Amino acid sequence: MTKVGIFGSGQLARMMALAVRPFGIEVICAGNKNDCASDVATVVEVDMSCEKSINNFLDKVDYATFETENIETEHLLNKENIYPPVSVLHIGQNRLNEKKYFNGNNMVTAPYKAVNSLQDLQNAVSEIGIPCILKTCCGGYDGKGQFVLKDSSYIEDAWNELGDQGQLILEGFVDFDYEVSLIGVRARDGQKLFYPLTENVHIDGILHTSTVPSKAQNLQIQTEEYMGNFLDKLNYVGVMTIEFFVKTNKNGIAERIIANEMAPRVHNSGHWTIDGATSSQFENHIRAVAGLPLGDVSYNKSVMVNCIGSMPDLQKTLKLPNIKYHSYQKEPRSKRKVGHINLVGEQTISQNLDKILGIIK
Ligand code: ATP
Ligand code: MG
């Protein structure tokens, strides 16, 4: 039986394990036994600062991958059968590296400056202008570690809030019309497949809904070219996601894209693929990692609604026909992603989306 190791044991690892269970692939996670992957996969504790502990884990599996870019990589470099290449994590781990890499690959980003002191912040604000957004370079997710500066009186507050959280980046605030993400997968033989651009709505910095197809279908080829070059250059294996801001022209047609960030892994904006695509992002990631042929990415019109804080009542939700209910079995907690609901097909969406949004609110 093929065994795949995953560094991390949260919901992304859980969904990868569930996706490949029908293949008879066993998933073993390096993580925390209390995390939500533990009821569908074996979870072992690994000390990421100890090479021996990592080697013990890698000896148990045929291939290994990640559910997060925020892991210690010192003892992972130069190890075999880890996909995507560990060096790619260093790009996604740090917003400054990420932006430099995007710009070096012809992708437009928001203007940005590195910030390491209050003086840097003052200089960066006068250079970039208001509004702007101060972010921690590493470790942020779901809008955490960010401070929006609406005018220059916010400078001190922003510094007081984030000044002690390591390296910072000031970004110009992009006046976008909407956000999309592209999810692609590359196999070891270089084959690449892309899901359709997904349109994402965030509330308070946390992903709320993802919809396919997006209004930016005319940008599909251009964004695939960006990511395709990127994947080939990195000799990437597995799923990658890039988030973009979209600007429209006066007729409402998507015209320009600005790259926001990349994730060298499966992504929340791809959760619709579990029910809306022939092969999900989770299945395709593990197919690529395990050297299997990639699965078809044909799709149906779909909407994913994130459940934040707590899951809606199962009895009430399942009364709506064709609703796909995904609970990660996590303890309810404010602002925590605990599950999602997928709606697939025009009719299901038109009949149930408003009701679901009403139940979840
Ligand atoms: P996630 O984990 O959900 O991807 P994150 O914490 O890594 O989020 P970002 O993706 O950088 O952080 O920011 C979260 C959201 O905040 C973006 O999707 C966007 O809505 C908004 N945002 C971030 N940066 C900018 C910017 N420079 N201009 C305008 N809006 C922004
Ligand atoms: Mg983001």
Side-chain angles (χ1 to χ4, degrees):
M1 189 193 268
T2 303
K3 292 192 171 93
V4 174
I6 299 178
F7 289 98
S9 50
Q11 68 261 27
L12 300 179
R14 175 188 170 96
M15 287 185 269
M16 286 191 261
L18 285 170
V20 296
R21 189 172 263 191
F23 295 170
I25 292 178
E26 187 184 340
V27 166
I28 306 177
C29 300
N32 185 328
K33 290 197 164 113
N34 298 322
D35 281 356
C36 71
S38 63
D39 38 56
V40 299
T42 307
V43 178
V44 294
E45 281 173 22
V46 175
D47 177 357
M48 295 303 288
S49 64
C50 167
E51 186 160 19
K52 198 164 157 235
S53 175
I54 290 172
N55 285 344
N56 274 342
F57 175 66
L58 293 176
D59 285 346
K60 292 191 189 35
V61 298
D62 302 296
Y63 310 99
T65 187
F66 317 93
E67 69 152 7
T68 169
E69 56 275 32
N70 293 317
I71 57 167
E72 238 178 286
T73 55
E74 190 190 341
H75 300 298
L76 293 178
L77 297 162
N78 308 320
K79 296 269 191 285
E80 282 180 5
N81 294 326
I82 304 187
Y83 303 103
V86 176
S87 56
V88 176
L89 297 192
H90 297 148
I91 306 173
Q93 268 173 357
N94 183 305
R95 293 186 194 275
L96 273 174
N97 290 349
E98 199 168 64
K99 292 233 172 8
K100 279 184 205 151
Y101 212 87
F102 282 151
N103 292 163
N105 284 279
N106 303 319
M107 278 190 253
V108 176
T109 60
Y112 64 92
K113 292 289 284 180
V115 169
N116 293 303
S117 64
L118 179 57
Q119 184 65 54
D120 281 355
L121 179 59
Q122 281 157 347
N123 296 345
V125 171
S126 31
E127 196 169 312
I128 286 173
I130 292 286
C132 51
I133 175 162
L134 184 67
K135 299 181 181 179
T136 54
C137 282
C138 303
Y141 66 96
D142 291 346
K144 292 189 173 74
Q146 302 194 4
F147 196 107
V148 178
L149 288 86
K150 294 182 184 148
D151 63 59
S152 42
S153 70
Y154 285 75
I155 291 179
E156 284 214 3
D157 287 348
W159 180 254
N160 289 340
E161 175 114 356
L162 298 178
D164 62 353
Q165 295 191 31
Q167 205 181 18
L168 303 175
I169 180 173
L170 187 77
E171 296 179 13
F173 200 86
V174 179
D175 178 23
F176 59 85
D177 293 291
Y178 54 91
E179 295 181 76
V180 295
S181 54
L182 183 69
I183 299 180
V185 58
R186 185 176 184 277
R188 291 205 221 141
D189 64 4
Q191 186 199 1
K192 295 183 287 292
L193 294 174
F194 299 91
Y195 292 94
L197 281 167
T198 301
E199 193 166 325
N200 301 315
V201 174
H202 292 79
I203 295 183
D204 297 333
I206 305 180
L207 183 63
H208 174 51
T209 58
S210 292
T211 302
V212 285
S214 71
K215 294 192 288 294
Q217 287 179 81
N218 58 315
L219 297 177
Q220 183 77 25
I221 292 171
Q222 186 188 350
T223 50
E224 282 186 15
E225 272 172 17
Y226 282 140
M227 190 191 281
N229 290 335
F230 211 46
L231 293 172
D232 287 338
K233 206 159 150 181
L234 298 165
N235 200 17
Y236 195 90
V237 174
V239 163
M240 177 188 274
T241 310
I242 302 184
E243 299 174 10
F244 298 96
F245 300 123
V246 179
K247 292 281 291 173
T248 60
N249 66 16
K250 60 180 188 328
N251 300 319
I253 306 214
E255 193 173 50
R256 279 196 321 118
I257 44 164
I258 297 123
N260 175 28
E261 58 172 358
M262 61 87 88
R265 54 171 168 81
V266 291
H267 192 258
N268 193 173
S269 65
H271 290 5
W272 65 268
T273 62
I274 300 177
D275 301 299
T278 309
S279 301
S280 73
Q281 61 164 351
F282 302 102
E283 180 184 321
N284 261 330
H285 184 72
I286 302 293
R287 282 182 183 235
V289 167
L292 295 165
L294 298 182
D296 181 34
V297 293
S298 303
Y299 73 99
N300 286 313
K301 188 172 174 163
S302 305
V303 179
M304 184 235 40
V305 183
N306 256 344
C307 303
I308 311 291
S310 61
M311 286 305 289
D313 179 65
L314 185 63
Q315 182 77 13
K316 201 164 152 189
T317 312
L318 294 189
K319 279 196 180 127
L320 302 173
N322 303 327
I323 293 302
K324 300 293 181 183
Y325 187 95
H326 298 269
S327 165
Y328 312 147
Q329 300 296 313
K330 283 163 71 167
E331 284 297 314
R333 193 195 297 160
S334 163
K335 297 191 177 169
R336 188 180 213 196
K337 288 175 179 166
V338 293
H340 68 271
I341 306 263
N342 283 340
L343 297 96
V344 179
E346 183 82 56
Q347 205 183 342
T348 304
I349 295 168
S350 62
Q351 287 176 354
N352 297 310
L353 182 56
D354 287 347
K355 291 179 192 153
I356 284 292
L357 293 173
I359 292 174
I360 280 178
K361 214 166 30 179

